[in-house]
Amino acid sequence: MGKSIASFGLVPNDLSFFDVENQTRELLAERSITVHEKDLNAITLFNEKQRHAFEVISHLIYENKNRAFFVDGLGGTGKSFLYRALLADVRSKWYLALAMITSGIATSILPGGRIVHSRFKIPIDLSESRECKVSKQSNLTVMIGESKLIIWNEAPMSAIEALNDLLQVLMNSSKIFGGKVVVFGGDFRQTLPLFVEESNLRLLMLA
Ligand SMILES: Nc1ncnc2c1ncn2[C@@H]1O[C@H](COP(=O)(O)OP(=O)(O)OP(=O)(O)O)[C@@H](O)[C@H]1O
């Protein structure tokens, strides 16, 4: 008498048909985000700093390296222009790229953008706990596993550690941000130690 496939533990016992259907739907939605021609062409319009940031980040993405970046710059210095080009480049190659913002109308800033608290379940009040209630068997784990790039625009420093914890747990990795390439944008002037007053966009590598 042979063994039942269930005895190999390949599929979690509590995974239902609806979970599988939802997982497929979410992945399909993520894969069918429209890549706009103008975002792909943005590369041709980049200024020197945008080009440098794009090249450094892209190189690591396609080399499957692990790195976290902070993109720092005053309002209007072209940060979102850079993020949209990165997202378009990755998605045009049929990879997943997850875009998040803290609040506001996510998709108007970043195509396919989602509010971070709804996608990653990062607690709004981090003073109580920074634990995100996401299961390892969730759609999100699959999506993160498949994603080449995660961008979080306007990321508050206090929530960045919560994201690191979450990605390490879900990706089963002690590497920073679970081994992913993550790009944060925001106002880091008050919190990062190396800040020098500048009016241009700057790229800071965390790890
Ligand atoms: N290299 C570029 N060539 C042409 N237009 C650009 C370039 N970089 C940025 N822009 C344009 O400049 C404007 C401001 O850029 P963007 O919105 O990316 O700035 P930002 O740094 O994200 O600003 P904020 O922090 O206020 O959101 C936008 O209209 C954008 O399309």
Side-chain angles (χ1 to χ4, degrees):
M1 184 85 171
K3 279 180 141 189
S4 154
I5 193 165
S7 65
F8 291 95
L10 297 174
V11 179
N13 291 334
D14 56 351
L15 191 69
S16 70
F17 170 73
F18 296 105
D19 290 331
V20 174
E21 198 183 52
N22 272 342
Q23 194 159 303
T24 312
R25 198 181 311 133
E26 280 214 44
L27 268 171
L28 275 176
E30 204 57 51
R31 288 196 189 287
S32 43
I33 293 167
T34 308
V35 175
H36 298 284
E37 202 67 31
K38 72 173 168 45
D39 293 334
L40 278 174
N41 292 338
I43 301 168
T44 60
L45 299 172
F46 277 163
N47 61 33
E48 198 187 321
K49 299 238 169 156
Q50 287 168 324
R51 183 174 313 283
H52 171 70
F54 183 91
E55 283 172 359
V56 170
I57 296 168
S58 298
H59 175 73
L60 291 163
I61 290 172
Y62 300 118
E63 290 284 306
N64 290 317
K65 297 269 169 62
N66 167 219
R67 200 59 61 91
F69 298 92
F70 291 106
V71 177
D72 181 47
L74 295 173
T77 48
K79 301 183 294 295
S80 308
F81 196 81
L82 168 69
Y83 307 148
R84 284 197 296 270
L86 282 165
L87 291 168
D89 185 60
V90 173
R91 289 169 177 162
S92 71
K93 296 178 169 72
W94 300 104
Y95 294 119
L96 286 189
L98 304 181
M100 288 164 322
I101 67 160
T102 303
S103 60
I105 306 165
T107 45
S108 71
I109 301 166
L110 299 178
R114 296 276 303 271
I115 304 284
V116 75
H117 295 292
S118 73
R119 166 146 282 178
F120 283 174
K121 314 283 182 255
I122 292 182
I124 291 174
D125 183 2
L126 285 156
S127 61
E128 288 195 356
S129 162
R130 66 180 204 216
E131 189 194 346
C132 312
K133 305 262 187 262
V134 180
S135 141
K136 278 193 177 185
Q137 277 81 40
S138 66
N139 313 339
L140 185 59
T141 308
V142 178
M143 274 195 286
I144 293 170
E146 291 199 14
S147 66
K148 284 269 186 203
L149 169 70
I150 298 172
I151 294 184
W152 183 356
N153 195 19
E154 308 294 349
M157 287 302 282
S158 55
I160 288 174
E161 280 178 298
L163 180 65
N164 182 42
D165 294 350
L166 177 70
L167 295 185
Q168 288 184 333
V169 169
L170 296 185
M171 295 298 102
N172 220 2
S173 166
S174 57
K175 289 183 182 168
I176 193 153
F177 297 103
K180 295 280 144 186
V181 174
V182 185
V183 176
F184 298 102
D187 184 1
F188 303 113
R189 272 139 233 280
Q190 306 302 319
T191 41
L192 288 178
L194 294 173
F195 177 67
V196 181
E197 193 64 44
E198 254 186 76
S199 58
N200 262 327
L201 181 149
R202 288 187 316 146
L203 185 69
L204 304 168
M205 281 189 216
L206 180 66

